Amino acid sequence: MQTKVENNKAWLLVMPVFLIVAFSAIIPLMTVVNYSVQDIFDPYTRYFVGTEWFKQVMLDSRLHEALLRQFIYSFTILAIEVPLGICVALMMPTKGRGASLALILVAIPLLIPWNVVGTIWQIFGRADIGLFGAFMSYIGVDYNYASNPMDAWLTVVLMDVWHWTPLVALLCYSGLRAIPEVYYQAARIDRASRWAVFRYIQLPKLTNVLIIGVLLRFMDSFMIYTEPFVLTGGGPGSSTTFLSQSLVQQAIGQFDLGPAAAFSLVYFLIILLVCWVFYTTIMNMQKDK
Amino acid sequence: MQSSKEQAPVFSRAERKARNANLRGRFGLVLYVVLLLLPIYWLVNMSFKTNTEILSGLSFFPADFTLENYAKIFSDSTWYMGYVNSIFYVSMNMVISLLVALPAAYAFSRYRFIGDKHMFFWLLSNRMAPPAVFLLPFFQLYSSVGLFDTHIAVALAHCIFTVPLAVWILEGFMSGVPREIDETAYIDGYSFPKFFVRIFIPLIRSGIGVTAFFCFMFSWVELLLARTLTSVDAKPIAAIMTRTVSASGMDWGLLAAAGVLTIIPGMLVIYFVRNHVAKGFALGRV
Amino acid sequence: MAWMSWTLPTALFFIGIAVILVGMTTWQIVSPCVERRGFLPLATTRGDRLFIGLLSSAFIHLAFVALTDVNIAVATVLSAFWMLILMRWG
C-alpha cells in the first residue's frame, strides 16, 4: 500500500459529500432524537416525557419477538447462503466465454427490484398458479405461505437465499480468481487432495471477501422490509414481522411518533455497533496485507 | 514430495479425478442456474398469458400467447408514468451521487486528513442504516421544505445510501491508479481541476461507469423511501405495483408484465459491468 | 424548524456533541495524536476512543433505562467516568 500524503485541504473535496449526506442523515437523526423524548400530538401540542418511550420500547414484548425473529432470520440465511455461495463460486468456470455467461446468469437476481422479488415469489409459491406451490402440493405437502407460519418462514428464507446467494457467490468468485495459478501447480505437484486445496489455498484467500459478504448480508437482512412486505405482509399473524416492518407499522400505520423514534434509535445503535465491529475488522485486515 | 518416483500414472489418475470433479461442477452449476432462473421464467411466462389461462392451470408455455398485458401498461398513463418517474429520479440520483462522490473518493484515496477514517466509517454506517429509521423525519423534512411528491426529494433521499456506495466503489478504483501519474501531471503544470477532468477521469472511466450502474441499481430497487415520499406526481413503478397487489381481484398477468419490465433495465447493462459486478456489490472492497 | 420539535435537553445534547467534535479537531491540530495500544484489544487513536466511548455510553444509558428505575443522571455520571478511563488508558 502506498503511503498517503497528509493534507487537510482534502476536506474541501469531501465537503459536498458531507453536506449532501448530512442533509439526508444528520437532520433526520436529530429529529428522531427530538421525537423520542416527547409525546407529540402536533408540532404545537407536545410534552417532554424524558426516557419514558425508551423504557416502553425496551420492555415491549412484541419488539423482543421481532428482534428475536430478526436474529434467527439473519443467522439462518447466513448459514445457508455462505456455504452455498462458496460452492457455487467453486463450480463457476474461470476462463472463456462460459465464465462471462455464468457470471451474468448468476448475477441476475441481484438486479431485480426488491418488490418484484416479493412479487415473483408471491406468484411462484401459490399452489394454484405458482410452480413451487404446485410442486409442493404435488409431492403431498400441504403448503400455504399465507396461512401457515412455518410455510411463510420457509418461503421468506427461500426467497432470500434465491435473491442473495449470488452476491456471496460473486464475491467468492472474484476472490478465487485472485489466486495465482502457481499455487494450484504447487498443490498438484504435492498431490494435494481437493479438500486440502480448498482448505489451505482457497479458503485463506476467501476470508477477506467472506467478511465483506457476511457484513453486507447481515446488514441488509437486518433491514429487510420490502420483500416480506410484498410476500406476506408480515403475517400470518406476526410470524414474519421483522424489525423494519414493525417500525414502519408503528411509525406510519399508527403514527406513534415518540415510541417509533425511540425504537429507531435503539435499532440504529445496534446497527452502528455491528457495523463498527465489521469495519474495524476489514480495515485491520487491509493493514496487515 | 514422492511424486518424482511414479509421476506418470499418478498424474493421469489425478487428471481423471480432476476431470470428473470438473464435470460434476458443471452439472451442479447448470442445476443451480436453472433453479435460479425458474422463478424469473415463470414470471415472464405468466406475463404472456391471459388471466383466464393463468387461473385455469399450470403450463410452461402460454397456450394463448398475448401481448395484451404489456399493451395495457403502455397505454395507461398511470402505469407507464410510473416507469418514467422511476427513471427520472433514479437518473437524477445517479448524477448527484457521481458529482459529489468523485472529488471525495479522490481525497480518500490520495490524502490523509483529520477525521478521514471516521468520515469513511460514517459514510458506511449510512449505507447500512435501515431506511425505516429515517422514514418519519424524511417525510416531515421534505414536506416542510415543500419537496414532498417531487422527483428531487426521492433522489436526495436515496443519496443516503448511493453516495456512500459511490464513494466506496470509486475509492477502490482510484487506489488502483498509481500516484506517480498525479505527481507527473502536477510537475507538468496542470492545475488540480484541469488534471482531474483531463487526465484522471478518463483513467478511471470504467470505474465511473460501474459506479453509475450501481447507483442506478440501488436506487431502482428501493421501494420504502420512494413510496413514502411520493403520492401522485412522482410515484414510482414499484409503488404502483404494490397498490395493484392489494386491490381486489388480482390481475396476475398485468402484475407479471409490470414486473418483467422492471427487470429489463438491469438486464440491458449487466453485460457491460460483468467483470466488476462483485466489486460493485461489495462497495469496491474486492 | 417547527417540525423538528426541538426541546432544551436534546438541543443541549447536540450542542455538547458539536463542542466535543470541534474540541477534538482543535486538539488534533494543536497536538496530533499517534495510534497506540491501551487496554482495548486494538490500536486506537483519540477519535476512535471517543467513538467507542460515546457508543458504549449510549448502551449504558439504554441498559439503565430498561433494567432499572434509578435516575438517568446516575447512568450519565457512570458514562462520564467510563469515557474518562477510556480516553486516558484505552
Side-chain angles (χ1 to χ4, degrees):
Chain A
M1 222 171 141
Q2 296 161 305
T3 48
K4 296 178 185 175
V5 190
E6 178 105 39
N7 186 350
N8 281 324
K9 280 199 200 112
W11 257 106
L12 291 176
L13 297 175
V14 183
M15 223 23 159
V17 160
F18 177 75
L19 290 178
I20 205 155
V21 181
F23 178 75
S24 301
I26 294 185
I27 294 181
L29 194 64
M30 284 176 162
T31 313
V32 173
V33 173
N34 289 340
Y35 287 171
S36 70
V37 292
Q38 299 178 79
D39 195 357
I40 297 176
F41 298 97
D42 66 65
Y44 305 99
T45 323
R46 51 198 172 92
Y47 304 99
F48 185 77
V49 296
T51 55
E52 194 184 306
W53 296 134
F54 285 96
K55 194 166 191 85
Q56 184 189 319
V57 163
M58 302 276 284
L59 297 177
D60 187 345
S61 63
R62 275 178 315 166
L63 292 183
H64 293 168
E65 283 161 23
L67 186 68
L68 184 69
R69 267 197 292 274
Q70 184 73 68
F71 272 110
I72 296 176
Y73 177 72
S74 292
F75 285 115
T76 312
I77 60 131
L78 276 180
I80 301 173
E81 286 173 14
V82 171
L84 186 61
I86 295 176
C87 286
V88 173
L90 287 172
M91 290 189 297
M92 279 165 73
T94 43
K95 283 187 280 287
R97 211 165 275 240
S100 293
L101 186 69
L103 210 56
I104 291 172
L105 287 179
V106 168
I108 284 176
L110 298 170
L111 310 171
I112 299 176
W114 297 345
N115 67 309
V116 178
V117 171
T119 307
I120 287 178
W121 281 88
Q122 190 189 24
I123 292 172
F124 202 58
R126 278 177 63 120
D128 55 345
I129 59 170
L131 194 59
F132 179 66
F135 174 73
M136 291 297 268
S137 16
Y138 177 73
I139 57 171
V141 182
D142 184 19
Y143 168 83
N144 185 343
Y145 66 80
S147 63
N148 183 337
M150 272 321 287
D151 293 349
W153 258 86
L154 177 73
T155 318
V156 173
V157 168
L158 202 62
M159 174 173 68
D160 202 274
V161 168
W162 177 82
H163 189 188
W164 288 109
T165 305
L167 174 70
V168 184
L170 288 177
L171 291 181
C172 293
Y173 177 67
S174 63
L176 286 175
R177 281 229 291 211
I179 302 174
E181 184 58 27
V182 199
Y183 283 47
Y184 294 117
Q185 280 166 7
R188 230 172 290 148
I189 290 168
D190 284 350
R191 279 199 272 162
S193 67
R194 184 74 195 83
W195 169 250
V197 170
F198 175 70
R199 175 68 192 77
Y200 297 104
I201 297 178
Q202 293 174 322
L203 198 59
K205 285 278 175 187
L206 285 184
T207 31
N208 233 337
V209 283
L210 277 180
I211 286 185
I212 295 168
V214 170
L215 164 76
L216 290 169
R217 278 319 300 136
F218 185 79
M219 288 309 195
D220 287 348
S221 70
F222 217 74
M223 58 161 125
I224 188 166
Y225 171 80
T226 312
E227 297 95 319
F229 169 75
V230 174
L231 184 69
T232 61
S238 57
S239 55
T240 53
T241 303
F242 301 115
L243 282 179
S244 276
Q245 202 123 29
S246 36
L247 179 54
V248 173
Q249 272 169 15
Q250 204 165 38
I252 300 291
Q254 307 160 11
F255 224 67
D256 280 340
L257 294 186
F263 181 10
S264 298
L265 282 179
V266 177
Y267 193 178
F268 188 67
L269 282 173
I270 298 175
I271 293 281
L272 209 56
L273 178 69
V274 179
C275 195
W276 180 79
V277 170
F278 273 106
Y279 177 80
T280 316
T281 325
I282 293 174
M283 285 301 151
N284 281 339
M285 286 186 68
Q286 279 193 342
K287 219 187 294 172
D288 292 341
K289 254 200 294 188
Chain B
M1 293 303 126
Q2 329 146 330
S3 65
S4 56
K5 234 197 285 178
E6 36 168 25
Q7 196 176 25
V10 167
F11 203 72
S12 75
R13 204 201 315 156
E15 214 154 53
R16 191 162 3 105
K17 227 173 157 187
R19 208 178 316 128
N20 278 345
N22 227 343
L23 220 61
R24 243 178 297 138
R26 289 288 172 282
F27 178 72
L29 187 66
V30 168
L31 188 71
Y32 175 75
V33 168
V34 166
L35 287 179
L36 206 62
L37 296 184
L38 209 52
I40 303 175
Y41 172 72
W42 200 250
L43 191 77
V44 176
N45 175 23
M46 218 157 131
S47 72
F48 291 118
K49 290 179 180 175
T50 59
N51 270 317
T52 30
E53 194 194 338
I54 291 171
L55 293 173
S56 65
L58 303 168
S59 63
F60 274 93
F61 297 99
D64 188 9
F65 186 88
T66 175
L67 285 172
E68 201 188 305
N69 297 317
Y70 290 95
K72 207 183 281 174
I73 290 174
F74 285 115
S75 60
D76 183 352
S77 75
T78 51
W79 271 102
Y80 68 74
M81 276 317 283
Y83 288 98
V84 176
N85 288 334
S86 291
I87 290 179
F88 199 52
Y89 72 70
V90 163
S91 316
M92 237 147 102
N93 168 275
M94 189 173 82
V95 173
I96 298 172
S97 306
L98 275 182
L99 282 182
V100 298
L102 271 170
Y106 182 79
F108 282 121
S109 80
R110 291 295 190 262
Y111 301 116
R112 263 185 302 135
F113 47 94
I114 292 179
D116 53 355
K117 275 192 230 138
H118 301 108
M119 183 78 191
F120 213 51
F121 170 71
W122 177 63
L123 286 175
L124 175 77
S125 72
N126 281 317
R127 156 69 179 75
M128 298 304 172
V133 167
F134 294 117
L135 205 57
L136 258 185
F138 267 167
F139 178 75
Q140 307 273 30
L141 171 64
Y142 289 111
S143 302
S144 78
V145 291
L147 285 177
F148 180 72
D149 202 15
T150 58
H151 299 95
I152 188 78
V154 184
L156 280 177
H158 281 180
C159 276
I160 199 170
F161 50 85
T162 55
V163 167
L165 184 79
V167 172
W168 275 63
I169 299 178
L170 282 173
E171 200 266 348
F173 276 100
M174 287 178 181
S175 298
V177 177
R179 190 147 334 157
E180 287 71 28
I181 291 176
D182 306 30
E183 281 152 15
T184 325
Y186 294 137
I187 293 167
D188 286 351
Y190 276 89
S191 66
F192 173 71
K194 207 171 154 197
F195 155 75
F196 198 71
V197 175
R198 289 266 183 81
I199 298 177
F200 199 70
I201 288 189
L203 274 178
I204 52 157
R205 242 188 346 237
S206 64
I208 294 177
V210 172
T211 313
F213 171 77
F214 278 98
C215 289
F216 190 93
M217 209 59 244
F218 275 89
S219 180
W220 181 257
V221 298
E222 207 275 344
L223 169 72
L224 184 53
L225 289 177
R227 191 189 59 178
T228 312
L229 294 177
T230 55
S231 61
V232 184
D233 293 338
K235 202 162 187 59
I237 181 61
I240 294 173
M241 279 181 69
T242 51
R243 186 178 284 173
T244 319
V245 170
S246 59
S248 61
M250 293 282 222
D251 194 345
W252 293 111
L254 188 64
L255 186 68
V260 170
L261 287 178
T262 61
I263 304 178
I264 289 175
M267 301 277 252
L268 285 181
V269 272
I270 174 77
Y271 179 77
F272 299 103
V273 294
R274 64 188 183 285
N275 289 323
H276 302 289
V277 83
K279 188 166 192 155
F281 277 108
L283 295 147
R285 296 293 105 178
V286 171
Chain C
M1 288 295 262
W3 63 273
M4 283 182 83
S5 311
W6 282 102
T7 63
L8 187 64
T10 49
L12 287 177
F13 172 73
F14 281 112
I15 291 172
I17 298 277
V19 167
I20 292 178
L21 286 182
V22 171
M24 290 296 283
T25 313
T26 350
W27 188 9
Q28 179 69 24
I29 292 171
V30 175
S31 76
C33 96
V34 275
E35 232 178 37
R36 68 168 166 78
R37 191 76 182 255
F39 65 81
L40 291 172
L42 66 164
T44 52
T45 61
R46 238 180 251 149
D48 297 336
R49 289 195 292 278
L50 177 75
F51 176 79
I52 297 169
L54 287 176
L55 192 61
S56 46
S57 301
F59 278 105
I60 291 175
H61 278 85
L62 279 185
F64 263 77
V65 168
L67 304 175
T68 66
D69 281 323
V70 280
N71 198 314
I72 193 74
V74 181
T76 312
V77 173
L78 206 71
S79 303
F81 264 114
W82 166 237
M83 286 282 280
L84 216 65
I85 295 169
L86 205 62
M87 291 302 278
R88 178 66 192 82
W89 292 287

